[in-house]
Every structure is written in C-alpha cells, then in structure tokens.
C-alpha cells in the first residue's frame, strides 16, 4: 500500500512537470491551479506514505536514505504550498515539482541500506531529525527561488529576454522570497539542532561536525545578507551553493553515521 | 435570418471622417431605435470606438437594411457614409475577428473586447438586441476568450512605453511606491513616463538643461522639476531613471552610479536610456542591481512581441473559422422545420 502511495505521489509531480513543460513549450504558461493541485495531491500521498511507514516503524520514518529523501521532498512541497499563493510564485511549481520528483525517483532507486534499529523512541532525536528535514525543505525552496532569481536577473539584463521572462516573478519579489525562506529554514534548523543536543541517544561526532558546518555556512550567509554586505545576486548564489553542498553531504553523513 | 455588418474603420476612413461618425454613449440608445425602425431590421448593436463605427444587425432583407443605415448615418453627419458591409457568414466572422483583436490597429489588443461588451450591453438595455444578436455576441465573447487563452495573440508589450512598464514590473513588482527621475524632456521619455504614471508610480521628477522646460513638463505630468546640476543627487532616491538628453558624452556612468548603488541597499535601479547618442554607459548594466535598456532593446522587445502576434494570426483564424461554422449551424437550425417542431 505504501509503495502505491509513493508511486501515486511521483505521478502527481510528473503530471505537474509535464503540464508545465507542455505549456511553456506552447508558450502559454499561466500561473494556474493545476500545478498547485498536482503538488498538493503529491504532498498528500507522500504524507500518507510517511504515515503508513511511521506506524509500521513506530517512529519518524527517516531511518534510511530513501525515507530521508521522501521526507525532504514532502517538506519542500509543504513549504511550496504554504508560500506559493502568498508570494504568487506559481511558476515555482515548475521548479519545485522536478526537484521533488528527482528526490522521489532517487528514493525509489537508491538501495535502502542498513536500517537503524528502533531502540526505544527518543522524542528529542525524533524532533531533531524531523525538524532538520523540514528546515531543509525551506532551504531547498530558497535554493530554487535563488535559481529563479538568477534566471530572471539574466533575462532582465539581456536585450532579448526569452519567453520564460514573462512567466517568472519580479526579481525584487524573488530576492525577498530567498531571504524569507533562508530565515524560516535557518530558525527551524537551529531549533532542530538544539533538540539534537538534548537527545539521550548519542549522535556520531562526524554528524555533529557536518551539521555544524552547514549551520555555520547558513548563519554566515544570513548575517551577510541581512546586514547588506551581500547583494541579492550573491545571496541567491549562496542559497544555492550551501543547499547543494548540504544535499551532497547528506549521503556522506548517513554513511559515516552508520559506520560510526 | 441574416446577420449584417456595416461600418467604417481605421483602414477605410481617415480620423476626421471617423470623428464625424463616432457615436457618443448618450446618443447610442436613440440611434439604435432609429436603426431598428428600418424596414426588415429586427435587432441592432452599434460599436463605436476610436478606430471603428460598426452596426451589427439581424435582418430578413440585408440590402434594404443597408440602404436604411446609409440614410440614417448620412442624415446624422451631413455626409455620405462610406460604409463597407458584410453579409452572413462574413459578418459573423468579422465580429469574431473584431472581438478577438485581429481587426485592430495593434493586433491582439484586448481593449476592444470591453468595448464590444459595452456596445452589446447598451443594445440590450435599449431593447434592440434580439435572440439572434444575443446568441451572436455571447458567441463572440467566447471566441475572444478562447483566442486569448489558446494562442499567443496578446503576448508581450508592443510599444516602447508598454515595454518599459513590463520591464519595470518584472524588476519591482508593484510600481505604486516607485519614484521616477527624467533626465531631459523629450517626447518619447514623456510618453514613457506617462505609461509608468498610468500604473500608479508614486512621483516623477524632471530635470532638464533648460529649467523652464523641465518645470513646464513637470506641471503637465504632475511631477516636480529640479535643476540639471542636481540630478546626480536625485538619482539616489529614484527607482527608475529615464534619460533622453542631447549630452555629448556619457552622462550615466559606473563611476557616477557606484556610490549611489552602495547607499541604496537592495533597491534596484532601472535605467531607460532613450537618447541617441546614448546617455548611459553600457557598462552600468554589469553592476549588481542596475538594469539598463536603451531605445534599441525596447524597440526590439516590442517588435518581437508583434512578430509573435503576427505568427499567431493563422492559428486564431482557424479557431475563429471553427466557431463561425458552429454559429452558422445554430443559425440554420432556426429555419429547420424539424428543429422548429
């Protein structure tokens, strides 16, 4: 049943992606309800999948890399739904759906590896893990908004903007969105990080070091950005680079933790 | 039942002729009653815009109806009406093309649909819109909507002013809190400033080598004039800089903008250089937060929109053709004794 939910949600994201590509190709993309509905359905099915898995495990379903990827994709979809309408970033669906789909496909094909045994539920460790992933959902969206910022800035500076220019939001809105998502993600990440220190379960040192590195990078990026030392372009580039680094480090941390 | 269309438009009559035939809103109900009193005419709608005056009518005898319309219009204007006319199904096709903006001076403009809707509503209120006319106009609105959503006929801005507005919207989003600084008081820059004002920009400051000209233009557009020596201080507060001076060298350079950009935080600056030779050094476009467009790039974007619209005409025509077929089937069914029963 949970596999059907996972495939169903992948299909929803695929529909969103296909619809966007088709309408962009036809040159008549209109920010509409289809993308939002498809992402909402995808997120709903992901949520169902995670619930089923959680009730089987009697713990938060983030014990293997595939589960972590699905949880991350679900967090991104939820943040997209939360900010999508308020910032009128409906084209964000065009960028969010493929990223979530990619995470989902990776989750299906990556071998689950060794499953951490559930040694009694430690609420702080569960809080730490789930909040960290929710934070990465927001930070992942800031990465996407950063990419959109750079694309739109390039379009505006070129003498011949292409068709996508008309469909992307204003650069000023995107710059604000990048910063707000960075702040939201960083706050949740910090709470999650703090919860980790309260946990009874010992956390591998390597995991703490990598997490601290990412936290420091985001703290530095935010401090420079909010103080005005980093402009919009550099903030967008920073949001992309740090998230991609975190995404690359995620399997490494997972691997080193299981070895440890 | 026949559908008849008779009128004049920007292709068949000069502006001074169109002015004489134009129908003011308060004159429309009386004219509609006159038109319906023509022998054989059951219903009539009058569409009067700056580019066209057209009568759409349902009639059993189009030839007699056309003569009647000519007489009424000639009596109103004191000159012979140089009317073109279309009969069914060409009149149906013509209305669908007009409502979709295909017959407009700027292809794909959307204002015309509102004007057609207004004309229909006036006729409905005057009681001159028959069942056939209701069906015809409702169908025309559907056609216009589907042409607009299924093709790119309304794609992109088509004038320098509207391109500037769209670019500004893609930089800042809402234009209502923005300040505009005009350097020079040329005609295109004035039109561009007015386009931005129509979107509600907060304030406009005019600076010109001749202060009197700046003051005069500022008074005309509801802005404020400053001496030309002070423009580089005023740019610190501006979000959009429209430049069109006759300066010999480059006026807006990276050296001048660098300290300004440092002090304005994350606020972007949109520079619209309408001068030839150019006032702005192209290097400013490489500065973070500065977006430069000159008259060439603005015209190029406008021209590309028009090319896209032109390319879409064929798709629109085929869409309209299928709708004309649908409407004609309905019209013929009115005379079908089987259906009548």
């Amino acid at each position: 049943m949970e596999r059907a939910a996972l495939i169903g949600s992948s299909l929803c994201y695929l529909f969103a992606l296909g619809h966007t590509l088709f309408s962009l190709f036809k040159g008549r993309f209109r920010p509409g309800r289809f993308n939002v509905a498809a992402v909402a359905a995808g997120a709903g099915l992901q949520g169902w999948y995670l619930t089923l898995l959680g009730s089987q495990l009697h713990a938060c379903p983030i014990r293997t890399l595939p589960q972590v990827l699905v949880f991350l994709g679900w967090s991104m979809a939820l943040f997209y739904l939360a900010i999508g309408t308020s910032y009128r970033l409906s084209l964000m669906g065009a960028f969010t759906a493929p990223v979530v789909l990619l995470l989902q496909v990776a989750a299906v094909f990556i071998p689950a590896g060794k499953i951490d045994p559930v040694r009694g539920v430690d609420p702080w460790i569960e809080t730490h893990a789930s909040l960290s992933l929710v934070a990465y959902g927001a930070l992942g969206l800031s990465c996407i908004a950063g990419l959109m910022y750079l694309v739109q800035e390039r379009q505006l500076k070129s003498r011949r903007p292409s068709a996508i220019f008309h469909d992307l939001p204003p650069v000023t809105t995107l710059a604000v969105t990048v910063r707000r998502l960075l702040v939201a993600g960083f706050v949740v990440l910090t709470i999650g990080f703090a919860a980790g220190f309260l946990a009874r379960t010992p956390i591998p040192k390597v995991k703490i070091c990598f997490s601290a590195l990412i936290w420091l990078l985001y703290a530095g990026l935010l401090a420079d950005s909010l103080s005005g030392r980093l402009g919009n372009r550099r903030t967008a580039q920073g949001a992309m680079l740090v998230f991609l680094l975190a995404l690359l480090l995620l399997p490494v941390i997972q691997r080193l933790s299981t070895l440890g | 039942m026949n559908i008849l269309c008779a009128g004049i438009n920007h292709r068949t009559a000069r502006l001074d002729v169109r002015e004489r035939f134009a129908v003011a809103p308060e004159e429309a109900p009386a004219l509609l009653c006159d038109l319906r009193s023509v022998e054989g005419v059951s219903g009539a709608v009058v569409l009067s815009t700056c580019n066209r005056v057209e009568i759409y009518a349902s009639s059993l005898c189009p030839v007699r109806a056309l003569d009647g319309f000519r007489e009424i219009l000639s009596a109103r204007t004191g000159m012979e009406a140089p009317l073109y006319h279309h009969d069914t199904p060409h009149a149906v096709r013509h209305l669908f093309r007009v409502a979709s903006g295909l017959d407009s001076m700027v292809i794909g403009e959307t204002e015309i649909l509102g004007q057609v809707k207004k004309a229909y509503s006036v006729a409905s209120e005057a009681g001159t819109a028959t069942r056939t006319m209701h069906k015809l106009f409702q169908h025309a609105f559907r056609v216009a909507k589907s042409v607009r959503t299924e093709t790119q006929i309304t794609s992109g801005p088509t004038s320098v002013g509207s391109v500037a507005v769209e670019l500004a919207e893609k930089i800042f989003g809402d234009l209502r809190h923005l300040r505009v600084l005009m350097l020079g008081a040329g005609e295109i820059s004035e039109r561009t400033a007015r386009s931005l004002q129509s979107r509600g920009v907060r304030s406009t400051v005019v600076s010109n080598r001749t202060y009197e000209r700046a003051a005069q233009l500022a008074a005309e557009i509801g802005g404020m004039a400053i001496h030309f020596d002070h423009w580089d201080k005023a740019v610190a507060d501006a979000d959009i800089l429209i430049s069109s001076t006759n300066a010999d060298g480059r006026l807006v350079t990276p050296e001048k903008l660098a300290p300004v950009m440092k002090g304005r935080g994350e606020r972007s600056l949109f520079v619209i250089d309408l001068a030839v030779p150019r006032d702005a050094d192209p290097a400013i476009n490489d500065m973070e937060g500065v977006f430069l467009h000159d008259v060439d790039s603005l015209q190029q974007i406008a021209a590309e929109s028009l090319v896209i619209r032109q390319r879409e005409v064929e798709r629109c025509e085929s869409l309209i053709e299928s709708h004309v077929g649908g409407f004609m089937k309905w019209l013929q069914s009115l005379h079908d004794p089987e259906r009548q029963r």
Side-chain angles (χ1 to χ4, degrees):
Chain A
M1 183 63 102
E2 60 265 24
R3 198 163 178 79
L6 192 63
I7 292 169
S9 74
S10 302
L11 285 176
C12 289
Y13 293 121
L14 192 65
F15 276 136
L17 174 63
H19 173 260
T20 308
L21 287 179
F22 177 75
S23 48
L24 280 176
F25 178 72
K26 285 268 178 188
R28 49 169 199 258
F29 180 84
R30 296 276 185 283
R33 282 176 229 125
F34 188 88
N35 260 321
V36 180
V39 175
L45 286 168
Q46 271 177 317
W48 187 31
Y49 165 78
L50 291 168
T51 309
L52 290 173
L53 214 60
S55 57
Q56 275 176 25
L57 292 169
H58 301 292
C60 194
I62 43 176
R63 316 202 82 79
T64 64
L65 186 56
Q67 289 170 12
V68 167
L69 292 176
V70 175
F71 198 96
L72 185 59
W74 178 65
S75 307
M76 287 175 75
L78 288 187
F79 268 102
Y80 161 75
L81 292 171
I83 66 156
T85 41
S86 26
Y87 291 101
R88 296 190 194 131
L89 289 179
S90 299
L91 190 65
M92 221 159 168
F95 289 72
T96 306
V99 174
V100 179
L101 183 66
L102 199 72
L103 292 173
Q104 200 100 305
V105 170
V108 172
F109 287 103
I110 286 175
K114 195 178 122 192
I115 298 173
D116 290 352
V118 182
R119 315 179 192 100
V121 175
D122 180 346
W124 288 114
I125 206 84
E126 300 281 311
T127 309
H128 158 73
S130 52
L131 283 185
S132 300
L133 285 175
V134 169
Y136 279 118
L139 297 169
L141 275 196
S142 78
C143 163
I144 295 169
L147 173 67
M148 288 167 75
Y149 176 89
L150 295 176
V151 171
Q152 185 67 316
E153 191 204 34
R154 201 180 165 79
Q155 293 289 322
L156 280 164
K157 281 190 178 273
S158 82
R159 297 171 67 86
R160 300 182 70 173
S162 59
I164 198 167
F165 158 79
H166 301 288
D167 302 320
L168 284 169
V171 274
T172 306
T173 311
L174 286 168
V176 170
T177 307
V178 171
R179 282 200 179 81
R180 288 194 182 175
L181 283 167
L182 278 176
V183 170
F186 182 73
V187 168
V188 181
L189 189 70
T190 307
I191 298 170
F193 203 48
F197 284 107
L198 298 170
R200 280 176 282 118
T201 319
I203 298 174
K205 263 200 181 129
V206 64
K207 207 169 190 173
I208 295 173
C209 289
F210 275 124
S211 305
L213 172 71
I214 297 296
W215 187 88
L216 282 171
L217 283 173
Y218 272 120
L221 176 65
L222 257 183
D224 281 354
S225 177
L226 295 176
S227 66
R229 283 195 294 275
L230 274 189
N232 293 338
R233 189 192 300 165
R234 298 258 179 237
T235 303
Q237 286 168 343
M240 286 178 66
L241 285 175
V242 181
F243 182 74
L244 291 176
L245 180 71
L247 213 59
L248 285 175
L249 286 179
L250 193 66
V252 180
I253 296 172
Q254 197 78 13
R255 178 93 186 119
L256 290 176
S257 312
T258 48
L259 287 177
Chain B
M1 181 64 65
N2 284 291
I3 307 284
L4 171 69
C5 165
I8 55 170
N9 66 17
H10 56 283
R11 276 191 289 272
T12 63
R14 289 197 321 265
L15 181 61
D16 56 328
V17 177
R18 300 203 304 272
E19 276 170 351
R20 292 180 72 167
F21 282 89
V23 182
E26 62 277 10
E27 296 169 345
L31 177 63
L32 283 166
C33 292
D34 289 349
L35 293 171
R36 211 184 45 179
S37 66
V38 172
E39 191 187 341
V41 173
S42 52
V45 174
V46 173
L47 172 65
S48 177
T49 73
C50 52
N51 281 329
R52 71 185 65 243
V53 179
E54 286 177 340
I55 301 164
Y56 293 89
S58 50
S59 165
L60 288 168
C61 181
V63 179
R64 231 178 285 163
L66 186 62
D67 288 342
F69 294 164
R70 272 190 222 279
E71 269 173 39
I72 291 170
L73 292 177
S74 299
R76 273 186 88 237
T77 57
M79 68 180 284
E80 197 180 327
L83 297 180
Y84 54 75
H85 61 95
H86 303 292
D87 207 341
T88 341
H90 304 294
V92 177
R93 184 178 300 114
H94 182 74
L95 175 63
F96 290 179
R97 292 185 82 252
V98 168
S100 308
L102 290 189
D103 201 53
S104 299
M105 197 181 262
V106 177
I107 293 175
E109 61 101 358
T110 51
E111 206 181 331
I112 185 70
L113 181 59
Q115 292 164 328
V116 175
K117 283 183 176 171
K118 179 80 188 151
Y120 165 69
S121 123
V122 169
S124 298
E125 279 169 29
T128 62
T130 52
R131 184 184 169 207
T132 312
M133 299 306 274
H134 280 302
K135 190 82 180 175
L136 174 68
F137 276 80
Q138 293 299 340
H139 206 129
F141 303 149
R142 279 206 307 279
V143 174
K145 191 181 171 195
S146 96
V147 163
R148 217 190 271 186
T149 51
E150 289 173 39
T151 72
Q152 287 189 70
I153 199 68
T154 57
S155 155
T158 50
S159 67
V160 167
S162 54
V163 171
V165 166
E166 175 157 32
L167 287 167
E169 282 175 341
K170 286 296 177 188
I171 294 169
F172 303 104
D174 189 1
L175 303 190
R176 278 176 299 181
H177 59 282
L178 301 186
R179 296 184 178 99
V180 178
L181 171 62
M182 288 173 71
L183 292 185
E187 198 190 322
I188 312 179
S189 57
E190 182 191 334
R191 262 188 276 149
T192 308
R194 284 189 192 275
S195 297
L196 290 163
Q197 280 184 325
S198 71
R199 296 298 176 101
V201 291
R202 188 166 131 195
S203 63
T204 309
V205 174
V206 188
S207 183
N208 195 49
R209 283 193 197 279
T210 321
Y211 179 78
E212 287 69 33
R213 172 70 188 124
Q216 186 194 344
L217 180 59
E220 278 172 26
I221 63 174
M224 193 181 90
I226 58 163
H227 283 281
F228 197 70
D229 303 338
H230 299 148
W231 78 263
D232 46 355
K233 290 183 190 76
V235 78
D237 289 330
D239 302 287
I240 300 173
L241 171 65
I242 304 172
S243 184
S244 63
T245 72
N246 293 318
D248 290 331
R250 302 281 195 229
L251 203 64
V252 189
T253 58
E255 293 73 36
K256 270 202 178 137
L257 284 190
V260 173
M261 294 310 291
K262 232 178 192 176
R264 54 194 287 133
E266 303 310 326
R267 276 170 57 219
S268 301
L269 178 66
F270 179 25
V271 181
I272 305 169
D273 185 0
L274 299 171
V276 180
R278 286 174 292 176
D279 284 339
D281 184 340
I284 64 167
N285 198 37
D286 298 330
M287 298 172 73
E288 187 167 355
V290 178
F291 300 93
L292 167 69
H293 279 270
D294 58 32
V295 74
D296 249 16
S297 66
L298 296 174
Q299 278 173 349
Q300 199 167 0
I301 294 169
E304 278 174 15
S305 299
L306 278 175
V307 169
I308 292 172
R309 289 183 182 199
Q310 206 67 51
R311 272 202 307 253
E312 288 297 288
V313 168
E314 209 175 305
R315 279 180 66 201
C316 298
E317 298 284 12
S318 84
L319 232 160
I320 286 173
E321 214 43 54
S322 67
H323 279 280
V324 171
F327 182 79
M328 288 311 295
K329 263 188 196 161
W330 175 82
L331 195 63
Q332 278 152 12
S333 75
L334 291 179
H335 309 292
D336 183 351
E338 287 296 314
R339 295 280 293 265
Q340 294 281 325
R341 236 176 274 148

